[in-house]
Amino acid sequence: GNSVTQMEGPVTLSEEAFLTINCTYTATGYPSLFWYVQYPGEGLQLLLKATKADDKGSNKGFEATYRKETTSFHLEKGSVQVSDSAVYFCALSLTQGGSEKLVFGKGTKLTVNP
Amino acid sequence: ETGVTQSPTHLIKTRGQQVTLRCSSQSGHNTVSWYQQALGQGPQFIFQYYREEENGRGNFPPRFSGLQFPNYSSELNVNALELDDSALYLCASSFDRGQTYEQYFGPGTRLTVT
C-alpha cells in the first residue's frame, strides 16, 4: 500500500542549528511529495512540494529533494529559528480512480530554543 | 481572497449522538477533501467531493458521510459517535481535483466525544 514514514520526534535544537527530518515513502505509481507544517492550534500549511524525481522544493530556507532511487524526501534547513517550532508532516499525493488524496506521515515535532 | 473556514471550532458530543461539521472552501475552488487527525497522528483521508459528487473515499465506515453544495461548501456528518471519533477534523479545498493542485487547509474542528 501507499505509506509515509518519517523520523520520530520530538526534535529539540538550538537556534541556528542545522535541521534534518527524514522521510521515506512507499507508493504505487508516481506520487507528488509534500512537506506540511502545523503551528500550535492551527491547520496545515504547505511548506514545499516536488512533483517528480530529482525536483527540489524550497521555501523559507527549507529544502527537500525528491529521490526516487531511495524513495526519500528529507527536509533540511541550514539555520533554524525559534519561529520554526512546529509539527512537520511529510505527505505523498496520489490520484486513484479520479480521486486525489494526501497520505501523511505521523509528524515530527520540532522545538527550537533560543 | 478568503481562505478555507470551518465551523464550529470546538465541539463536545456524547457517544451515540450525531454531528455535522461545516467547511467553506476557498474562492474559486471546486474540490473539498476531509481528513481526520487523531492526537499525535498525521491526518487520514476520509473522502473527497468534486462538483457535489463524492470523488473517492478512505477507510472510514458509512456512518461518516458528506455533502457538497452548489457553492462548493461542504459538510461532514458522523452518526452514532464513538469515543475514537475524538479528533481534529480538517477540511481542505483545491482549485480542481488532481495531484498537481495544492490543497489548502482550514484550521479544523476539534471534536471531543465523551
Side-chain angles (χ1 to χ4, degrees):
Chain A
N2 303 309
S3 65
V4 173
T5 302
Q6 62 182 102
M7 91 189 239
E8 298 208 6
V11 174
T12 303
L13 296 173
S14 297
E15 207 165 22
E16 299 184 3
F18 184 85
L19 169 71
T20 300
I21 301 178
N22 291 335
C23 171
T24 58
Y25 68 90
T26 302
T28 53
Y30 302 95
S32 294
L33 300 174
F34 304 82
W35 278 99
Y36 280 85
V37 58
Q38 187 173 37
Y39 298 101
E42 299 185 13
L44 298 172
Q45 297 176 25
L46 178 65
L47 182 59
L48 54 84
K49 69 177 182 182
T51 58
K52 62 183 187 298
D54 299 325
D55 269 2
K56 178 187 281 188
S58 61
N59 185 26
K60 300 181 182 179
F62 291 89
E63 293 183 341
T65 300
Y66 189 141
R67 299 286 188 202
K68 187 179 176 185
E69 63 276 14
T70 55
T71 61
S72 65
F73 193 56
H74 305 319
L75 182 68
E76 295 182 336
K77 186 175 185 182
S79 176
V80 293
Q81 307 299 312
V82 172
S83 58
D84 294 327
S85 297
V87 180
Y88 292 81
F89 292 93
C90 184
L92 65 82
S93 174
L94 282 171
T95 300
Q96 294 178 323
S99 167
E100 182 251 0
K101 69 173 187 179
L102 290 166
V103 177
F104 289 87
K106 292 186 175 182
T108 303
K109 183 176 182 180
L110 170 66
T111 301
V112 180
N113 295 318
Chain B
E1 186 177 79
T2 306
V4 179
T5 60
Q6 293 186 243
S7 62
T9 305
H10 295 90
L11 203 52
I12 299 175
K13 289 287 188 178
T14 303
R15 190 171 49 183
Q17 286 187 315
Q18 178 267 341
V19 70
T20 297
L21 310 182
R22 294 177 175 83
C23 170
S24 291
S25 58
Q26 187 160 319
S27 177
H29 288 187
N30 61 19
T31 302
V32 172
S33 303
W34 286 90
Y35 294 83
Q36 181 196 66
Q37 186 180 12
L39 196 63
Q41 302 295 313
Q44 288 198 309
F45 177 74
I46 303 175
F47 43 55
Q48 183 179 84
Y49 278 82
Y50 170 70
R51 296 190 175 186
E52 304 179 57
E53 297 284 334
E54 188 178 290
N55 184 50
R57 189 178 184 91
N59 190 26
F60 281 82
R63 60 188 185 85
F64 285 77
S65 63
L67 283 173
Q68 189 179 30
F69 299 99
N71 66 354
Y72 303 130
S73 66
S74 178
E75 287 183 353
L76 164 65
N77 299 290
V78 187
N79 293 322
L81 283 167
E82 300 177 0
L83 296 178
D84 284 350
D85 296 334
S86 295
L88 180 68
Y89 288 85
L90 295 166
C91 163
S93 73
S94 56
F95 177 72
D96 205 339
R97 58 181 179 177
Q99 64 190 64
T100 58
Y101 295 102
E102 179 182 338
Q103 293 191 16
Y104 292 81
F105 282 81
T109 294
R110 174 73 62 188
L111 172 64
T112 302
V113 181
T114 62

